[in-house]
């Protein structure tokens, strides 16, 4: 009937959700390849700061080809320029700290610590966003951070100072997520994507003479371009996935990245995750899934 919006039937909804789940699995596979490429470059002697610069340099070029003032008029107009700049710097800092940490830590170890970012967001959302957590959610957050302590194991002989870099990555990413949520209410998604890598690149550009690396083989140059491609394609698939399925359906599949990290770590670097990493990672993931279930109860799809 003209003028009446058509609603997809149950079969179409299921197909779209399945497509979203497949896209989300592709997303985490790209992100795992990104980390594996960054670790390979770091072990080959490439400065992680230069790898970070290439990560966002390639991304900015690719995004700007589709989102720019010509194709998207008004995309540079933002109501919170300072927050866009801070968000971009937090994203850049998070990536740089992660790449530095990957020189010394296993892929599964850094990722397990980064999975605590949603827990930190849930804890910080109260004072920063006015979204206070219930006692049950606070208990889940506390358990999740216990999982991080199990991975890090401070005060024991196995403690590695590099985990501090990974913890810094997790905190930067948590504040980046909070900034993203605040901007979602005032700026368009296209505007936020346009600004994502610009501030970090502007800060790093003057440092290029000091951080420039001249990789010894064409393969390393391909990996440098690859970190940008993997990151950009991963985020593109993430957007496509969320266009087809609700976030609460897709979120649990983010944790499948841990499986990719374990597999790539073993195949490429011979890394076998320590049992404490697996135990702590399982605790962090379980806490995150519990918070997700509570979010579903508070906000039905």
């Amino acid at each position: 009937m003209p003028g009446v919006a058509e609603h997809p039937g149950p079969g179409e909804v299921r197909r779209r959700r399945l497509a979203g789940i497949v896209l989300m699995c592709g997303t985490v596979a790209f992100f795992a390849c990104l980390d594996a490429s960054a670790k390979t470059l770091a072990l080959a002697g490439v400065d992680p700061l230069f790898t970070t610069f290439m990560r966002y340099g390639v991304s900015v070029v690719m995004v700007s080809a589709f989102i720019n003032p010509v194709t998207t008029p008004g995309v540079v107009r933002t109501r919170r320029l300072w927050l866009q700049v801070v968000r971009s710097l937090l994203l850049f800092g998070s990536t740089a700290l992660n790449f530095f940490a990957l020189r010394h830590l296993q892929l599964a170890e850094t990722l397990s610590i980064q999975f605590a970012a949603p827990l930190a967001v849930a804890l910080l959302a109260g004072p920063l966003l006015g979204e206070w957590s219930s006692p049950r959610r606070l208990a889940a957050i506390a358990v999740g951070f216990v999982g991080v302590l199990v991975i890090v194991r401070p005060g024991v002989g196995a403690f590695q100072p590099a985990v501090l870099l990974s913890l810094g990555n997790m905190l930067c990413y948590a504040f980046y997520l909070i900034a993203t949520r605040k901007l979602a209410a005032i700026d368009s998604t296209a505007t936020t994507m346009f600004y994502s890598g610009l501030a970090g690149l502007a800060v790093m550009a003057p440092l290029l003479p000091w951080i420039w690396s001249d990789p010894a083989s064409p393969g390393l140059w391909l990996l440098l371009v690859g970190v940008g491609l993997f990151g950009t394609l991963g985020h593109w698939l993430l957007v496509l996935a969320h266009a087809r399925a609700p976030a609460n359906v897709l979120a649990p599949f983010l944790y499948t990245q841990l499986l990719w990290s374990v597999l790539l770590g073993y195949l490429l670097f011979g890394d076998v995750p320590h049992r404490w990493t697996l135990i702590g990672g399982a605790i962090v993931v379980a806490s995150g899934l519990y918070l997700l279930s509570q979010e579903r109860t508070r906000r039905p799809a």
Side-chain angles (χ1 to χ4, degrees):
M1 181 176 178
V4 178
E6 295 184 2
H7 297 281
E12 178 63 20
V13 170
R14 282 194 295 270
R15 283 191 292 271
R16 289 179 62 83
R17 289 192 174 193
L18 180 59
I21 290 171
V22 171
L23 289 166
M24 178 60 76
C25 291
T27 294
V28 298
F30 276 125
F31 288 162
C33 290
L34 165 63
D35 284 350
S37 300
K39 184 175 179 68
T40 301
L41 289 164
L43 294 178
V46 178
D47 192 323
L49 285 178
F50 183 62
T51 303
T52 307
F53 180 87
M54 289 295 294
R55 156 70 179 93
Y56 288 104
V58 173
S59 179
V60 166
V61 170
M62 293 181 67
V63 171
S64 298
F66 298 95
I67 303 176
N68 55 68
V70 176
T71 61
T72 313
V75 71
V76 298
R77 193 177 302 117
T78 172
R79 298 181 182 179
R80 294 288 188 278
L81 178 59
W82 68 271
L83 189 57
Q84 290 284 6
V85 171
V86 169
R87 176 184 175 276
S88 178
L89 292 176
L90 285 169
L91 180 60
F92 202 91
S94 171
T95 304
L97 289 170
N98 185 46
F99 288 176
F100 274 106
L102 284 170
R103 288 197 298 185
H104 309 284
L105 304 177
Q106 296 181 359
L107 296 175
E109 194 171 6
T110 59
L111 183 63
S112 296
I113 295 174
Q114 185 170 323
F115 277 160
L119 305 177
V121 171
L123 186 63
L124 296 169
L128 296 180
L129 299 175
E131 301 175 5
W132 298 96
S133 297
S134 66
R136 288 185 178 183
R137 288 170 61 83
L138 290 175
I141 294 169
V143 171
F145 283 123
V146 168
V148 174
L149 292 177
V150 171
I151 300 169
V152 174
R153 287 168 290 159
V156 301
F159 175 77
Q160 297 189 57
V163 300
L164 299 177
L165 297 171
S166 196
L167 288 171
N169 159 40
M170 182 268 291
L171 290 174
C172 281
Y173 191 64
F175 281 107
Y176 159 81
L177 292 174
I178 290 174
T180 301
R181 286 172 62 172
K182 291 181 73 71
L183 285 167
I186 55 178
D187 282 347
S188 69
T189 301
T191 295
T192 299
M193 289 181 65
F194 178 79
Y195 281 101
S196 288
L198 292 180
L201 287 182
V203 170
M204 294 300 299
L207 301 179
L208 272 181
W210 289 273
I211 65 173
W212 179 270
S213 296
D214 194 8
S217 68
L220 294 179
W221 276 111
L222 287 176
L223 283 178
L224 281 169
V225 176
V227 293
L229 290 175
F230 288 138
T232 305
L233 293 175
H235 281 286
W236 179 54
L237 291 185
L238 186 67
V239 172
L240 294 179
H242 280 279
R244 288 161 175 78
N248 57 6
V249 171
L250 299 174
F253 293 92
L254 282 171
Y255 294 110
T256 61
Q257 186 177 345
L258 189 57
L259 301 177
W260 283 104
S261 295
V262 171
L263 178 62
L264 291 175
Y266 178 75
L267 293 177
L268 298 178
F269 312 110
D271 291 338
V272 177
H274 196 279
R275 66 178 182 277
W276 293 114
T277 300
L278 296 177
I279 294 172
I283 294 173
V284 172
V285 170
S287 300
L289 291 175
Y290 177 80
L291 288 178
L292 177 63
S293 68
Q294 292 294 301
E295 193 68 16
R296 285 178 175 175
T297 302
R298 294 199 309 167
R299 299 178 184 177

